[in-house]
Amino acid sequence: MEATITFFSEYKSVFVIIHVFGVIIGMGSALVSDVLFNTFIKDFKIDLVENRVLGILSKIIWVGLLFMVVSGVAMFLSDPEKYVQSVKFLTKMTIVGFIITNGILFQKVVHPALRKIDFRDQNRHHKYVKIRRLSFAFGSISIISWLSAFLLASQDAIPFSYGQALAIYLGICVLGIIASQILERMV
C-alpha cells in the first residue's frame, strides 16, 4: 500500500492536470449542451441534426467525467487518509455521483424521446409531456451539479459539515427543479 501511495503522490500534479482537463471538458460541454437545448427548442422541436449535436456533446461530457473520475481516484490514492477526512472532497464526490446518475437517467429516459417531443403540446396527459418536464429538470440538475463541483474544486476548504454542504446542494437542486418546471410551462 505504501508503494501505491508513493507512486500516486509522485505523479499527483499530473493527475491534477488531467482532473482539471476533465472538469473543463465535462462542465464546458454540459453548459454548451444546456444552452443549445434551450436554443433548439425555440421552434418547439428537436430535429435530427440538433439531436445528433446533443448526442455528440453527451459523449464529450462522458469523456470529461471519465477523466475526472480516473484522475480523482488517482488523487485520492495519493493521500487516502487526508481525502477521507475532507468534507470538500466527500461533498464533491457525492455531487459527481449525482452528475453521473443524472446523466444516465437523461440518456435512458429523455434522450431517446427528444425527437418525438412536441414542445407546443399542452396536453398534460400526453406521455411526452412528462419526458419534456424531465428534460428540463435533468438540465437544471446538470447545471447546478457541474457548477457546484467546479466551485468546490476551486476552494481550499468549506466551512460546513458534510451534511450541511449536502443539504445546501440538495436545496439548490430543488429550487432549480422548481425553476425548470416554471420555465418548461413558459416555453
Side-chain angles (χ1 to χ4, degrees), residues 7 13 15 26 53 83 91 93 103 111 128-129 133-135 144 147-148 152-153 157-158 175 178 181:
F7 171 80
S13 61
F15 298 125
V53 168
Y83 285 107
T91 304
M93 289 303 101
H111 191 79
Y128 293 120
V129 171
R133 289 179 185 157
L134 284 174
S135 72
I144 291 165
L147 291 175
S148 296
L152 283 168
I158 58 174
L175 292 175
I178 291 168
Q181 298 310 293

Side-chain angles (χ1 to χ4, degrees), residues 46-179:
I46 301 291
D47 66 30
L48 181 62
V49 172
E50 294 166 342
N51 196 42
R52 283 186 183 152
V53 168
L54 293 173
I56 290 167
L57 285 168
S58 178
K59 288 176 183 160
I60 295 169
I61 293 166
W62 285 111
V63 169
L65 272 168
L66 178 65
F67 281 131
M68 278 178 52
V69 169
V70 170
S71 60
V73 168
M75 290 186 316
F76 175 82
L77 292 173
S78 73
D79 192 353
E81 289 182 31
K82 170 189 164 191
Y83 285 107
V84 84
Q85 300 294 325
S86 170
V87 170
K88 179 188 98 159
F89 177 80
L90 296 174
T91 304
K92 189 173 117 185
M93 289 303 101
T94 302
I95 291 172
V96 169
F98 276 99
I99 290 170
I100 292 168
T101 303
N102 188 59
I104 291 169
L105 290 172
F106 180 85
Q107 287 296 320
K108 297 289 183 198
V109 177
V110 174
H111 191 79
L114 272 180
R115 292 203 51 238
K116 299 172 188 165
I117 298 172
D118 181 352
F119 287 88
R120 285 180 290 227
D121 189 353
Q122 296 302 313
N123 179 358
R124 297 295 179 199
H125 301 292
H126 192 274
K127 69 179 179 176
Y128 293 120
V129 171
K130 292 176 184 168
I131 292 173
R132 182 177 72 199
R133 289 179 185 157
L134 284 174
S135 72
F136 279 81
F138 287 140
S140 172
I141 292 168
S142 173
I143 289 173
I144 291 165
S145 298
W146 278 104
L147 291 175
S148 296
F150 175 75
L151 289 173
L152 283 168
S154 66
Q155 302 298 311
D156 289 330
I158 58 174
F160 306 106
S161 69
Y162 175 76
Q164 291 169 327
L166 199 55
I168 292 167
Y169 164 74
L170 292 173
I172 294 170
C173 281
V174 167
L175 292 175
I177 291 169
I178 291 168

Side-chain angles (χ1 to χ4, degrees), residues 23-34 56-58 60-61:
V23 170
I24 291 167
I25 295 292
M27 185 176 79
S29 299
L31 294 175
V32 168
S33 179
D34 287 340
I56 290 167
L57 285 168
S58 178
I60 295 169
I61 293 166

